[in-house]
């Protein structure tokens, strides 16, 4: 019954920036790891970025140095700041919340990011 609200995608030129946001209303946000996954047509789903409930981050090599994941526990929101975007970043991006205390996950519906001239 948690309705995840994912926003911020769209079309951007190479070298541009986008910021994705994902709100997880009604959950105990501080108990969850947050992540952004992405999947392009014909490719496997990839973990792009992850942040622990303590603020520790991990990134896929393909996005390291260009993407930044962050979280605002007061707003139950996870962000993905994407800079220096490349056509290879084109994908559907999914936010994910993964509980550290119970076997429970929540997913966003996916949002399209297209990097093209």
């Amino acid at each position: 019954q948690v309705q995840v609200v994912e926003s911020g995608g769209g079309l951007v030129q190479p070298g541009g920036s986008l910021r994705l946001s994902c709100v997880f209303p009604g959950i105990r946000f501080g108990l969850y790891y947050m992540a952004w996954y992405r999947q392009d047509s014909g490719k496997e789903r990839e973990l792009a970025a992850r942040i622990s409930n303590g603020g520790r981050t991990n990134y896929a090599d393909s996005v390291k140095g260009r993407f930044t994941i962050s979280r605002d526990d007061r707003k139950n929101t996870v962000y993905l700041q994407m800079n220096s975007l490349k056509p290879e970043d084109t994908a559907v991006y999914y936010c994910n919340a993964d509980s550290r205390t119970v076997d429970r996950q929540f997913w966003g519906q996916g949002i399209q990011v297209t990097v093209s001239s």
Side-chain angles (χ1 to χ4, degrees):
Q1 57 184 323
V2 175
Q3 290 199 255
V4 182
V5 182
E6 192 171 355
S7 62
L11 175 65
V12 65
Q13 293 184 333
S17 297
L18 287 173
R19 188 176 75 162
L20 306 183
S21 300
C22 202
V23 183
F24 294 84
I27 70 171
R28 301 192 70 174
F29 193 83
L31 301 179
Y32 290 78
Y33 281 31
M34 297 289 161
W36 289 94
Y37 292 81
R38 65 184 188 178
Q39 186 170 27
D40 198 7
S41 298
K43 301 178 181 179
E44 293 187 1
R45 187 181 66 179
E46 175 189 35
L47 175 62
R50 194 184 193 196
I51 184 167
S52 75
N53 53 349
R56 183 177 66 255
T57 59
N58 294 100
Y59 298 94
D61 288 342
S62 57
V63 309
K64 196 171 300 180
R66 300 186 298 116
F67 289 12
T68 302
I69 187 171
S70 61
R71 60 190 292 158
D72 187 337
D73 288 9
R74 293 178 58 191
K75 299 179 179 178
N76 275 31
T77 302
V78 63
Y79 304 94
L80 186 67
Q81 179 67 46
M82 303 182 291
N83 298 327
S84 302
L85 282 161
K86 304 174 181 180
E88 307 92 88
D89 297 317
T90 295
V92 176
Y93 285 71
Y94 301 88
C95 57
N96 168 265
D98 188 4
S99 176
R100 297 288 90 190
T101 58
V102 297
D103 186 14
R104 183 178 298 162
Q105 287 189 58
F106 299 101
W107 288 89
Q109 78 282 2
I111 188 164
Q112 179 70 47
V113 171
T114 302
V115 185
S116 176
S117 298

